[in-house]
Amino acid sequence: MIYEITHLTRYTYGAIVGLTTGVLRLAPRSGDGQDVERFGIVTEPVSEPLTERLDPFGNRVTSLRIEIPHRQLSITASSRVRVDRAPAPTRSPTWETVAAEALAIACLDDDSPAIALYPSRRVSLFDEATAYAKKSFTPQRPIVSAASELTQRIRSDFVYDREATEVSTPAAEAFSRRRGVCQDFAHIMIAAMRGIALPALYVSGYIRTIPPPGKERLAGADASHAWVSLWCGATLGWKDFDPTNAIPVENDHIVVARGRDYSDVSPIESMVLSSGRPRLEVQVDVSPV
């Protein structure tokens, strides 16, 4: 499957902005069945020359600096991505085997499970999440089967509600409310996995919107999405699960960034020299070619 992706972010300020600097994580990743054929960023006003680097998690990070005075800023990221992932495995080691293997690994490269075992800024460990995980991760159960069941339980037990939480809402609070959005469900699943000593990472990206039969796709109807990557042992490596939709991640998902939690993969972090709170608009369009 080939996708054309446009991600537009527009800020409107209440006063003239003299300087904007920012860090962007909008470039999709290559690897694990995904190949980025084209990527570019356009800003209005025009930025100083963009610079790019890789962060400790292997994500492409773009830095911008805009010195032209402005009251509105738009950032448009455009990508063409080819996705061809293998189906979810039907056989896998037991989760206890994977947990023991992860604890024995000493390396700290960007693909190491060691970076995904411990609490992080937005994902603390709490007893309720650990107990919730153990209902699926019963003794000697294969890890992929257990993780698939956990995603289905989260989809059934939690209500998708845009008004229930904010970006800063802790996972424990969203768990208690049993409501939230994809970010919350990913954080909850990560806390549950780490609570039983399994390495889990937060993944940001996009999911294709498939319209009902007979209906046209709506441009801009797609949005940034989030899910979980679970290390399933050295043989299988990282496998992704979408708790918001209770499905494995296959060819309808496009990966942008991975990290310990949302704070490691935030699409845009900026510093603005101005007064007042800006108005933010975001439009994402994911079009199969």
Side-chain angles (χ1 to χ4, degrees):
M1 182 67 69
I2 300 175
Y3 294 100
E4 294 280 354
I5 304 162
T6 303
H7 186 145
L8 169 65
T9 306
R10 181 181 293 113
Y11 297 93
T12 302
Y13 305 100
I16 295 293
V17 173
L19 172 68
T20 294
T21 62
V23 174
L24 316 177
R25 299 180 188 86
L26 296 169
R29 293 173 63 110
S30 288
D32 297 324
Q34 181 172 297
D35 181 49
V36 179
E37 298 184 347
R38 184 186 71 250
F39 174 73
I41 292 176
V42 175
T43 69
E44 177 59 41
V46 176
S47 170
E48 297 295 304
L50 301 173
T51 61
E52 187 175 287
R53 61 180 172 83
L54 291 180
D55 70 10
F57 307 100
N59 304 315
R60 294 170 62 182
V61 179
T62 305
S63 297
L64 63 79
R65 182 181 179 91
I66 297 173
E67 299 179 352
I68 301 170
H70 53 282
R71 293 195 66 161
Q72 188 175 85
L73 167 64
S74 66
I75 302 170
T76 304
S78 301
S79 311
R80 183 182 175 97
V81 182
R82 183 184 300 271
V83 182
D84 185 13
R85 294 191 179 91
T90 57
R91 300 182 64 183
S92 62
T94 66
W95 69 269
E96 295 98 333
T97 300
V98 173
E101 187 178 356
L103 287 172
I105 292 178
C107 71
L108 291 174
D109 61 31
D110 60 21
D111 203 42
S112 170
I115 65 174
L117 279 169
Y118 304 102
S120 52
R121 185 193 304 181
R122 294 178 181 265
V123 179
S124 60
L125 305 187
F126 53 101
D127 292 342
E128 293 85 354
T130 301
Y132 189 78
K134 287 180 177 178
K135 292 181 180 179
S136 293
F137 286 78
T138 51
Q140 299 302 305
R141 187 170 187 184
I143 188 170
V144 170
S145 172
S148 297
E149 182 183 291
L150 181 62
T151 64
Q152 293 165 5
R153 288 174 53 221
I154 291 173
R155 176 68 176 84
S156 298
D157 295 344
F158 292 77
V159 177
Y160 189 92
D161 182 353
R162 294 181 182 273
E163 306 300 321
T165 57
E166 299 177 348
V167 171
S168 59
T169 300
E173 185 177 332
F175 184 92
S176 176
R177 293 181 182 180
R178 291 294 199 275
R179 311 179 80 86
V181 294
C182 56
Q183 172 186 302
D184 303 299
F185 303 153
H187 281 162
I188 287 167
M189 185 171 176
I190 291 168
M193 297 292 87
R194 292 179 186 168
I196 56 173
L198 292 175
L201 290 175
Y202 185 101
V203 186
S204 69
Y206 310 110
I207 184 171
R208 177 173 65 156
T209 297
I210 302 175
K215 301 289 186 180
E216 293 185 4
R217 266 188 83 263
L218 298 177
D222 302 31
S224 295
H225 193 45
W227 57 91
V228 176
S229 192
L230 175 65
W231 194 71
C232 296
T235 301
L236 292 181
W238 295 94
K239 297 299 176 185
D240 290 8
F241 300 86
D242 182 346
T244 303
N245 297 292
I247 56 175
V249 171
E250 296 182 345
N251 290 340
D252 286 340
H253 293 72
I254 301 99
V255 175
V256 172
R258 297 196 314 169
R260 293 162 298 183
D261 55 41
Y262 175 79
S263 61
D264 289 331
V265 304
S266 175
I268 298 178
E269 297 177 19
S270 64
M271 183 187 76
V272 176
L273 295 183
S274 179
S275 61
R277 186 180 181 88
R279 186 173 77 250
L280 172 64
E281 303 170 69
V282 178
Q283 292 182 340
V284 174
D285 186 56
V286 179
S287 302
V289 175

